[in-house]
Amino acid sequence: MAHPTQLGFQDAASPIMEELLHFHDHALMIVFLISTFVLYIIIAMVTTKLTNSYILDSQEIEIIWTVLPAIILILIALPSLRILYLMDEINNPHLTVKAVGHQWYWSYEYTDYKDLAFDSYMIPTQDLAPGQFRLLEADHRMVVPVESPVRMLITADDVLHSWAVPSLGIKMDAVPGRLNQAALVASRPGVFYGQCSEICGANHSFMPIVVEAVPLQHFESWSSLMLEDS
């Protein structure tokens, strides 16, 4: 969960988010080095009259500023493509959950269970219990087992939505008439918050996402209780 005056991302709660954080640091360091080098060149040109004929007409300099950007792009593109393919890999999922966006709430269907489905609405501010987060709490949380691959099927019933949970490194558009697929693996127990990340109408900011990751035995107890109540 983010906190006031926080700098940087939320703590990673999935292997994919850990990879994204590493890639962010990798790309940021490259940007820092490029910015430092360009700043040095500008200062040198202003203070030491670096713009001599050698710099302006050197064949070696032209080769360097052609080859070096290509190398930098490769250093950014290769890890980026690796993470992109990792995000699409879903091998032997233990559970499948279908998330459907509505104006303005989410509904969840556990397709491996016959009757396990429910709607998830935001809890109004006046009904919040002490310690709950305004605009982020939902009356029914999506519960998943820890360290278990989950296949998320994401769609919408009316307009475009986007199912996004930053701590888990997942953001997938919910498109009416189309099923999008994403992988979700929670690496530690906890409650992780997200929101619709597509401007979907007047109450766009009032359809939060709450994912609760629990040990497998707790998930089995929760699913049995939900099936009894349905």
Side-chain angles (χ1 to χ4, degrees):
M1 182 64 195
H3 57 78
T5 71
Q6 174 178 331
L7 295 176
F9 295 95
Q10 299 179 29
D11 291 337
S14 72
I16 289 296
M17 190 58 191
E18 292 177 6
E19 293 284 346
L20 290 172
L21 290 179
H22 293 156
F23 175 69
H24 169 267
D25 296 340
H26 167 75
L28 189 63
M29 182 55 65
I30 292 176
V31 171
F32 174 76
L33 294 174
I34 293 173
S35 301
T36 303
F37 176 71
V38 172
L39 181 62
Y40 167 76
I41 293 296
I42 292 175
I43 294 175
M45 290 176 65
V46 171
T47 59
T48 63
K49 296 182 180 179
L50 192 63
T51 54
N52 53 40
S53 59
Y54 175 77
I55 294 297
L56 294 178
D57 301 326
S58 171
Q59 183 68 33
E60 292 80 5
I61 294 296
E62 292 186 9
I63 293 174
I64 290 173
W65 71 42
T66 301
V67 174
L68 190 59
I71 295 174
I72 293 173
L73 288 176
I74 292 173
L75 292 176
I76 295 175
L78 291 181
S80 175
L81 290 173
R82 173 179 171 271
I83 296 175
L84 186 63
Y85 281 104
L86 282 175
M87 294 173 73
D88 282 338
E89 287 290 331
I90 305 178
N91 296 319
N92 301 318
H94 299 171
L95 183 69
T96 300
V97 182
K98 182 180 178 182
V100 183
H102 307 270
Q103 291 182 312
W104 286 274
Y105 65 95
W106 294 96
S107 62
Y108 298 100
E109 303 172 12
Y110 288 71
T111 58
D112 300 296
Y113 299 83
K114 182 179 180 181
D115 298 315
L116 184 46
F118 54 87
D119 297 328
S120 180
Y121 291 88
M122 186 192 75
I123 299 178
T125 302
Q126 63 272 17
D127 296 333
L128 289 174
Q132 291 185 322
F133 298 103
R134 177 177 173 270
L135 302 183
L136 288 177
E137 294 289 350
D139 56 355
H140 291 94
R141 295 172 173 176
M142 190 190 103
V143 181
V144 296
V146 174
E147 297 181 346
S148 294
V150 178
R151 177 196 286 122
M152 291 297 305
L153 301 177
I154 301 169
T155 187
D157 187 53
D158 35 47
V159 299
L160 288 175
H161 298 279
S162 184
W163 201 84
V165 183
S167 296
L168 297 173
I170 182 172
K171 181 180 183 294
M172 182 62 67
D173 287 343
V175 182
R178 173 175 177 153
L179 275 180
N180 287 330
Q181 180 176 269
L184 186 156
V185 180
S187 56
R188 57 183 170 87
V191 180
F192 311 109
Y193 296 90
Q195 291 176 300
C196 175
S197 297
E198 188 77 41
I199 299 178
C200 57
N203 291 335
H204 155 68
S205 57
F206 302 104
M207 48 184 304
I209 300 162
V210 185
V211 178
E212 183 174 0
V214 299
L216 181 58
Q217 59 269 27
H218 293 176
F219 173 79
E220 292 175 344
S221 300
W222 172 83
S223 59
S224 298
L225 183 61
M226 291 291 291
L227 289 170
E228 291 174 2
D229 294 339
S230 62

